[in-house]
Amino acid sequence: MSTLVKKLEEREAKLQNDMKGLLNEDGTIDAENREKFDRMTGELHGIEASMRDAKDAELEELREQVRQSKNSGQHRETEDEKRARAFCEFIRGGEDRVEERSSLIAGTDANGGFIVPENMHAQLIEPVRAMNPIMRMATTFNLTGSVSIELPRKATHGEVKSVGETDERTELSAPTFANDTLTAHEVYTDQRATQLFLDEVQWAEQKLMGWIYEDLASDFEKKCVDGRGDAQKEPTGLFTASDFYLKKNVKSAGSVTAADILDMYFALPPAYRAGGTFLANGATMAQLAQLTHPAASGTVPFMQFDGDVPSILGKKVEECQNAPSIGSATFPLAFGDIARAYAVAIHKTPAILRDPYTARPKVSFYAYGRMGGRPWNPEACVLLSTATE
């Protein structure tokens, strides 16, 4: 891990701890601490973006160093590379085939197994993050110890009164704050492969790990859309949070027009509109692409394309595969500043249990991790309902 990433993680942990320290026991924040808390939240968002960029740059630099050292025949493995090699040896043949068993990082909870090394985890998680628009754009909290974090949010706006310079100041009862819990619930999958495949196919362990991460991420993407919440041990979906976010109804039941989208667009407060993105599935996007601008007599497409990137009213339209389609009383379209509207928790210790006995002649790989998601700021997103008022 680079010095920069380590410093960013240390700063992230300190900020989260300092933010908790500003909370009262009931989860509220005193008015004198509000500005400090908002400033910390903004810095936290910036740190998360910097960490992603730094890790991407670090991975590319490591790959280039490995390529150069291999070409020169003078490569010496780093500790991260030793852990990754040991883990790959474990996947292929179990602990008996691992040359340096001390490089394997054992799981510490009841599930056991061996933890995926950080450098492998980063390479595997980033491609699937890129394919999940909610996971990619939401504010991500990387958890290392606890599986949950408290997320304070403003429940009502502040009260402002005008007074003379020497007039008495009465105590104000607003703003008020709510405290929501973001929990990373355990998710697991059971993948299988023959020992012949593991022995004979080049990079078999990478292929297997790729399948595991793809399946976990695909399930997580769906639950970030329509998850039923903590009671079902899964995320609360962005598109199912109609009682939490702002909501706009269409004028004609079961259909969406350009005028409906204009109403939705301007329903989002300007503070969030600047960073707004539309989310819809492919079928909905196909229908939106056929709409024309209501002020242009049917001659100007409402959805514009820059190459293959669609936009509406200058705001990018992201394809969200599992979002509802346009139908009777559905929520097929979301518009908002997703980084401020939704929070994701990823625990950084996914692990693998290798079982060569249960599914013989195949080897079973029980993989588990912890992920969670929940709506965060109710004003930062608008959902379009195809029901009328």
Side-chain angles (χ1 to χ4, degrees):
M1 184 184 299
S2 71
T3 302
L4 174 59
V5 172
K6 186 175 181 180
K7 287 183 177 179
L8 287 171
E9 287 188 339
E10 290 173 352
R11 179 58 180 161
E12 178 187 41
K14 186 177 186 305
L15 273 174
Q16 291 178 358
N17 187 58
D18 290 347
M19 290 167 73
K20 287 182 180 179
L22 295 177
L23 298 176
N24 299 321
E25 291 184 1
D26 60 357
T28 62
I29 301 177
D30 295 333
E32 62 267 23
N33 291 327
R34 184 65 222 177
E35 183 179 350
K36 183 185 294 185
F37 186 87
D38 289 341
R39 189 166 59 249
M40 288 180 176
T41 301
E43 184 180 350
L44 190 63
H45 291 168
I47 286 174
E48 289 162 356
S50 297
M51 284 174 61
R52 288 195 295 269
D53 293 343
K55 286 182 178 180
D56 288 343
E58 182 181 343
L59 286 171
E60 185 53 39
E61 183 179 349
L62 286 172
R63 293 190 188 104
E64 182 59 30
Q65 289 174 358
V66 170
R67 285 194 291 266
Q68 291 178 3
S69 58
K70 284 182 177 179
N71 290 338
S72 65
Q74 298 176 348
H75 177 58
R76 295 187 63 181
E77 282 187 314
T78 64
E79 286 301 315
D80 281 346
E81 289 172 334
K82 286 181 181 179
R83 293 191 183 102
R85 177 169 59 82
F87 188 81
C88 290
E89 290 168 350
F90 162 71
I91 293 294
R92 281 185 174 272
E95 290 182 69
D96 291 340
R97 289 205 200 173
V98 180
E99 291 184 17
E100 297 184 43
R101 296 191 189 184
S102 61
S103 294
L104 284 173
I105 309 170
T108 56
D109 64 11
N111 290 313
F114 289 99
I115 296 172
V116 181
E118 172 63 24
N119 53 336
M120 285 189 69
H121 173 69
Q123 292 180 53
L124 290 162
I125 197 68
E126 288 310 314
V128 296
R129 280 172 64 99
M131 298 300 293
N132 182 339
I134 297 178
M135 188 176 178
R136 172 165 36 88
M137 292 187 289
T139 295
T140 300
F141 293 88
N142 293 309
L143 308 183
T144 55
S146 172
V147 296
S148 63
I149 185 172
E150 298 300 314
L151 298 180
R153 61 178 173 83
K154 185 185 286 188
T156 61
H157 288 288
E159 183 181 359
V160 178
K161 287 188 176 181
S162 297
V163 294
E165 185 175 352
T166 59
D167 290 349
E168 181 182 355
R169 269 69 167 170
T170 59
E171 184 178 356
L172 303 179
S173 59
T176 59
F177 300 91
N179 208 37
D180 297 324
T181 302
L182 171 61
T183 300
H185 297 290
E186 187 161 313
V187 293
Y188 69 93
T189 184
D190 184 4
Q191 305 281 336
R192 299 179 182 187
T194 63
Q195 189 60 53
L196 179 63
F197 171 82
L198 296 169
D199 287 337
E200 299 297 330
V201 175
Q202 188 177 23
W203 306 115
E205 69 280 0
Q206 296 284 357
K207 295 179 189 294
L208 182 70
M209 292 299 295
W211 296 335
I212 288 172
Y213 271 69
E214 286 170 8
D215 286 350
L216 291 177
S218 176
D219 177 76
F220 187 57
E221 191 270 342
K222 184 177 188 303
K223 288 175 180 174
C224 283
V225 169
D226 62 10
R228 297 166 295 172
D230 290 341
Q232 300 299 320
K233 307 301 182 186
E234 60 188 35
T236 300
L238 185 145
F239 281 81
T240 55
S242 57
D243 291 335
F244 185 86
Y245 292 127
L246 301 169
K247 184 175 69 175
K248 289 295 291 184
N249 293 70
V250 296
K251 296 178 177 62
S252 179
S255 65
V256 175
T257 67
D260 294 323
I261 299 175
L262 285 169
D263 287 345
M264 176 192 195
Y265 177 86
F266 287 107
L268 190 71
Y272 306 108
R273 200 184 304 152
T277 300
F278 287 96
L279 294 173
N281 71 16
T284 298
M285 291 173 67
Q287 294 193 47
L288 299 183
Q290 300 176 53
L291 298 178
T292 56
H293 201 288
S297 302
T299 60
V300 177
F302 195 61
M303 180 185 287
Q304 302 289 322
F305 286 85
D306 182 4
D308 61 352
V309 179
S311 65
I312 292 176
L313 301 171
K315 303 300 180 183
K316 189 175 180 180
V317 183
E318 288 271 5
E319 184 173 357
C320 193
Q321 179 180 349
N322 291 292
S325 297
I326 295 174
S328 175
T330 62
F331 292 91
L333 193 61
F335 175 58
D337 186 336
I338 307 303
R340 300 164 76 178
Y342 199 82
V344 164
I346 304 292
H347 205 281
K348 297 176 71 174
T349 55
I352 306 290
L353 279 162
R354 189 183 196 276
D355 176 8
Y357 307 110
T358 304
R360 296 179 68 180
K362 295 181 178 179
V363 180
S364 176
F365 294 90
Y366 171 76
Y368 68 93
R370 295 177 178 88
M371 298 183 285
R374 65 161 299 119
W376 190 3
N377 185 335
E379 295 185 346
C381 185
V382 181
L383 297 177
L384 184 66
S385 169
T386 54
T388 57
E389 295 290 352

